Amino acid sequence: NTLKKWHVANWTFTSASLGPKISFVKRFINTYLNADGSRFTDISGYETMEFPDEVKNRDKRLSQTIRLGSYKRSDGTPAPPDFLYTFTGYHILKFTTDDKSLDGIQGNFNSIPRMRYAEVLLNYAEAKAELGSFTTDDWDKTIGLLRKRAGITDISMPTSIDTYLQLNFFNDINSIPILEVRRERGIELAGEGFRYDDLKRWKMGELLEKEYDGMYVSEMNKLMDLNEDGKPDVMFVEQMPSSPVPGVVYVVVDNAAIKLSEGNKGKIIWRANIERDYSDKKYYAPIPYNELILNKNLVQNEGWDHP
C-alpha cells in the first residue's frame, strides 16, 4: 500500500464509470460443474433456471468469480448482481475487495498472483492431452487436484463426452481429456487474461463470434429477487416506469442493444445488433510498420497489408 502498487479490479467490475461492464456469458457459466462433480447441463430444465437456482450447489469457484445471491460487501450490505455494472447478470468479483470505498478508484491493494501453480498443472495437463498420452494418473495430479481444492466431491475422471461442451464450444474435439482440460482452464483462470491467447492457440476464434447471452428471465415486467432476501433487485421492461420501486434497476429491452431470446422472456441477449467476425488474419498480429522499414526481408503477415 505504501508503495502504491495498486490495481483496478474494483473500478473495473464495480463501477459504471469505467464503461465496459465486463461480464461473463451464460454459455460459459453453464460449464461450471455441480458441487458433486456432475454436469450442470445434465439437469433437466437447466436452460430455463432463473439465477437464484442455477448458482446453487455449484463448483465453489463460481462464487469466487461472480456475485452469487449470498454475496455481501464488507459492511454487511447484500450485493447481488447489479445491472448498473453488468450486462448479462453474471457480475464479476474476482480480485475485487468487499470494501466499497475502493469502487470507482484505482486503489486495489489486495494481492494479484504473478504465477499460478494451477496454470503450471493446466499447462502440463493440456500438453499430455494434446499428445494423446493423458492418463488417469495425470488426471489425479492435475485436474483432480484443482477440483478437490474447489470443493468438488467426485473428482474422478469422466468416462463420457460432455456433449454440451462439444456442441457449444469444441465441435471437432472427441477427446474427453482435451474437453475437460479446456473446461478446467476456462474455469480456473477465468478473468485472469488467458482466454484470448487460449482461443488463438486452439484456433477457436469463431467462439468470439457467438452471441452474448445472459441469465434467464421468465417474464417481462416482473420484479426479480436475485438474492432471495425478499427485496426486488431488477426488472426487465419495455420502458422506464413512471413510479420506479426504490432499489430496483430497470433494464429496458429495446430489441436492439438488448433483447430476450424468446421475445417477452428467455435469455438476455446483449448486442445482438452487432455483427461479429473473427477472420483468420487475427490469429497473427501485424508486424509493426517501423520493423518492416528497418528489415526489408520481413514480409507483412497475410491480411494486414496496407491498401
Side-chain angles (χ1 to χ4, degrees):
N1 191 12
T2 56
L3 297 176
K4 295 187 177 181
K5 296 296 184 182
W6 296 340
H7 61 91
V8 295
N10 274 44
W11 191 25
T12 301
F13 302 132
T14 320
S15 172
S17 66
L18 189 61
K21 300 184 183 180
I22 300 168
S23 313
F24 285 112
V25 294
K26 183 177 183 65
R27 186 172 59 259
F28 172 68
I29 297 298
N30 285 343
T31 67
Y32 282 76
L33 299 173
N34 296 317
D36 63 3
S38 61
R39 298 164 185 155
F40 172 71
T41 50
D42 285 347
I43 299 174
S44 177
Y46 79 89
E47 305 98 327
T48 57
M49 278 189 189
E50 292 195 330
F51 182 80
D53 294 321
E54 72 170 326
V55 298
K56 290 176 181 173
N57 303 314
R58 303 284 292 277
D59 179 333
K60 289 181 180 179
R61 287 171 294 187
L62 186 60
S63 66
Q64 297 164 350
T65 304
I66 63 171
R67 290 188 180 190
L68 304 191
S70 57
Y71 177 65
K72 295 181 180 180
R73 304 309 297 273
S74 57
D75 62 359
T77 305
D82 190 335
F83 276 86
L84 291 176
Y85 313 127
T86 177
F87 290 126
T88 64
Y90 301 114
H91 186 159
I92 301 175
L93 58 70
K94 197 171 190 178
F95 297 140
T96 66
T97 71
D98 304 326
D99 186 350
K100 292 181 181 178
S101 68
L102 298 179
D103 296 353
I105 64 172
Q106 301 183 49
N108 280 77
F109 49 84
N110 54 314
S111 298
I112 295 290
R114 297 298 300 271
M115 177 176 287
R116 293 257 267 118
Y117 180 52
E119 186 200 352
V120 175
L121 296 180
L122 289 164
N123 289 347
Y124 176 82
E126 182 178 337
K128 293 280 284 186
E130 292 287 352
L131 288 169
S133 59
F134 191 85
T135 65
T136 53
D137 184 55
D138 293 324
W139 175 275
D140 293 339
K141 292 188 298 187
T142 57
I143 309 303
L145 282 180
L146 295 176
R147 291 188 181 178
K148 182 178 181 180
R149 181 172 177 268
I152 293 175
T153 53
D154 183 355
I155 59 172
S156 58
M157 184 173 170
T159 57
S160 63
I161 288 281
D162 183 347
T163 54
Y164 180 86
L165 275 182
Q166 198 174 46
L167 292 173
N168 288 276
F169 292 89
F170 309 113
N171 305 76
D172 298 329
I173 301 298
N174 293 299
S175 162
I176 293 173
I178 291 177
L179 284 172
E180 293 300 327
V181 166
R182 291 186 181 186
R183 179 208 306 275
E184 202 69 17
R185 190 169 181 88
I187 289 170
E188 180 67 31
L189 302 176
E192 297 186 31
F194 291 90
R195 188 64 167 179
Y196 184 58
D197 285 340
D198 286 351
L199 294 182
K200 289 204 297 183
R201 185 173 67 258
W202 301 333
K203 208 173 190 303
M204 293 300 302
E206 64 195 63
L207 291 177
L208 299 172
E209 300 173 346
K210 288 182 175 286
E211 67 183 14
Y212 301 158
D213 59 344
M215 65 171 57
Y216 185 82
V217 178
S218 61
E219 61 182 283
M220 297 273 288
N221 304 308
K222 171 189 173 183
L223 290 169
M224 298 176 67
D225 180 2
L226 299 180
N227 62 350
E228 300 179 293
D229 66 350
K231 299 176 183 178
D233 303 301
V234 64
M235 179 187 279
F236 291 81
V237 297
E238 292 90 354
Q239 59 184 18
M240 290 295 293
S242 56
S243 301
V245 176
V248 173
V249 176
Y250 291 89
V251 179
V252 177
V253 178
D254 61 5
N255 290 311
I258 186 170
K259 69 177 186 178
L260 300 181
S261 61
E262 301 171 53
N264 60 357
K265 65 176 183 177
K267 296 184 299 181
I268 299 167
I269 305 297
W270 175 249
R271 289 300 186 195
N273 57 340
I274 291 180
E275 291 187 14
R276 303 180 184 93
D277 174 62
Y278 196 87
S279 57
D280 282 348
K281 76 173 189 178
K282 295 179 183 178
Y283 286 106
Y284 302 93
I287 298 173
Y289 180 71
N290 287 347
E291 298 300 323
L292 294 171
I293 295 297
L294 290 171
N295 187 346
K296 299 299 183 180
N297 293 318
L298 289 177
V299 177
Q300 184 59 275
N301 287 327
E302 186 176 352
W304 292 106
D305 295 310
H306 293 289

